[in-house]
Amino acid sequence: MSARQAEEEPAAAHPPLPRLLSAFFYGTCSFLIVLVNKTVLTTYRFPSPMVLGIGQMATTILILYVSKLNKIIHFPDFDKSIPVKLFPLPLLYVGNHISGLTSTSKLSLPMFTVLRKFTIPLTLLLEIIILGKRYSLGIIVSVFTIILGAFIAAGSDLSFNLEGYTFVLLNDIFTAANGVYTKQKMDPKELGKYGILFYNAYFMVIPTMIISFSTGDLQQVIDFKYWTNFFFLFQFLLSCFMGFLLMYSTVLCSHYNSALTTSVVGAIKNISIAYIGMLVGGDYIFSILNFIGLNIWYCITIFCQPYI
């Protein structure tokens, strides 16, 4: 048996039910957090996606640390070998976090969800290069067919926002790389899934706070007018908690499935988000060609999903 087959065998050995449930859990968390983040960043105009990301990282650290103290979960204590074992995941983690939140605030939900599908071919490419995986021609054709409607919809987007497009494409790159490297490093004998979650947030929360302070984001957040608004505060805290659940569900789904499956599983979920996003947020500008492009993408996604 080759080394690569030995590495892939445990993933393939997982029974169907945990694989299905972990994928469903990830899709649900991903669906809910996009809606909550969109409300916080667009409806209430919260001034800093970066500070929202810090809140999500701090919540992740707190929940995991308290759970470890109460022996609910286990991950290794810090030692000097951990940064080496984890690299480059912390950088990918914070890049994924901040670019995702920023692009959510800059784009309408229909265009955000469509452009996020470029994560799928990027993940497939990185799995082939980094993990040495091989996929059939049918899977490769299905993956690239999914992004056809994205090109049509993006080409006719009347609310085109260069900054938003830049951040969402960066988010695609960070998400793909984060998923593949997480799969590579998820050894229960090393950090395990909880160790990866905890130390990713632990290493990046302070540098992100320093950047936020130096750019003036922190001061804008301090002066934000809705801190006394119960509905905003509830959704802000919900976003922080959902940030933890999304990271956990992503790692769980990658553990039981492939990184490509984790990227693809959100496709059906994104159809609901995109249609809801035409009504929520107030930043989608209707055009016939754009609407047709979106619907072509939805139909292609549903058709291709069973083949991936």
Side-chain angles (χ1 to χ4, degrees), residues 69-308:
L69 287 179
N70 287 280
K71 303 187 185 302
I72 299 171
I73 62 171
H74 171 75
F75 55 86
D77 295 328
F78 177 78
D79 64 62
K80 62 183 180 181
S81 70
I82 285 179
V84 177
K85 292 176 182 176
L86 204 57
F87 186 82
L89 273 179
L91 298 178
L92 298 174
Y93 169 83
V94 75
N96 184 29
H97 225 60
I98 303 305
S99 61
L101 288 169
T102 304
S103 55
T104 300
S105 68
K106 300 291 182 182
L107 294 173
S108 66
L109 281 180
M111 290 312 304
F112 171 79
T113 53
V114 167
L115 293 171
R116 287 287 286 123
K117 289 305 101 194
F118 287 99
T119 301
I120 299 173
L122 288 171
T123 302
L124 183 143
L125 182 63
L126 288 176
E127 281 201 323
I128 292 172
I129 295 171
I130 296 171
L131 301 182
K133 288 198 170 186
R134 295 293 179 265
Y135 290 101
S136 68
L137 180 61
I139 289 178
I140 293 172
V141 170
S142 296
V143 164
F144 281 91
T145 304
I146 282 177
I147 67 172
L148 175 63
F151 277 111
I152 298 173
S156 56
D157 182 16
L158 296 182
S159 60
F160 175 79
N161 181 314
L162 179 59
E163 187 180 1
Y165 270 55
T166 301
F167 273 105
V168 79
L169 293 175
L170 283 173
N171 188 224
D172 291 339
I173 295 169
F174 283 125
T175 300
N178 186 68
V180 171
Y181 275 106
T182 296
K183 185 70 176 178
Q184 184 191 53
K185 294 176 180 292
M186 203 182 303
D187 185 348
K189 296 177 182 177
E190 296 288 339
L191 296 176
K193 56 181 177 290
Y194 297 114
I196 287 174
L197 279 173
F198 180 82
Y199 287 112
N200 269 342
Y202 178 79
F203 288 137
M204 296 313 300
V205 68
I206 298 299
T208 308
M209 287 181 68
I210 293 171
I211 294 171
S212 177
F213 177 78
S214 63
T215 57
D217 270 24
L218 205 54
Q219 187 58 49
Q220 291 183 57
V221 168
I222 292 170
D223 297 335
F224 187 58
K225 62 181 180 180
Y226 285 115
W227 284 120
T228 55
N229 184 303
F230 171 80
F231 295 104
F232 165 76
L233 195 59
F234 172 76
Q235 289 178 85
F236 179 86
L237 294 175
L238 182 61
S239 174
C240 291
F241 179 68
M242 288 302 303
F244 159 72
L245 283 185
L246 178 63
M247 291 300 105
Y248 175 69
S249 64
T250 303
V251 170
L252 197 67
C253 187
S254 295
H255 172 69
Y256 284 110
N257 302 281
S258 69
L260 181 62
T261 300
T262 304
S263 294
V264 172
V265 75
I268 298 298
K269 168 267 302 180
N270 281 338
I271 294 175
S272 301
I273 287 182
Y275 278 116
I276 292 170
M278 293 178 185
L279 305 173
V280 174
D283 51 1
Y284 174 69
I285 301 177
F286 176 85
S287 79
I288 292 295
L289 188 57
N290 177 258
F291 186 75
I292 290 172
L294 290 171
N295 282 277
I296 289 174
W297 170 75
Y298 303 152
C299 294
I300 289 172
T301 299
I302 293 171
F303 176 77
C304 291
Q305 187 82 6
Y307 301 100
I308 299 177

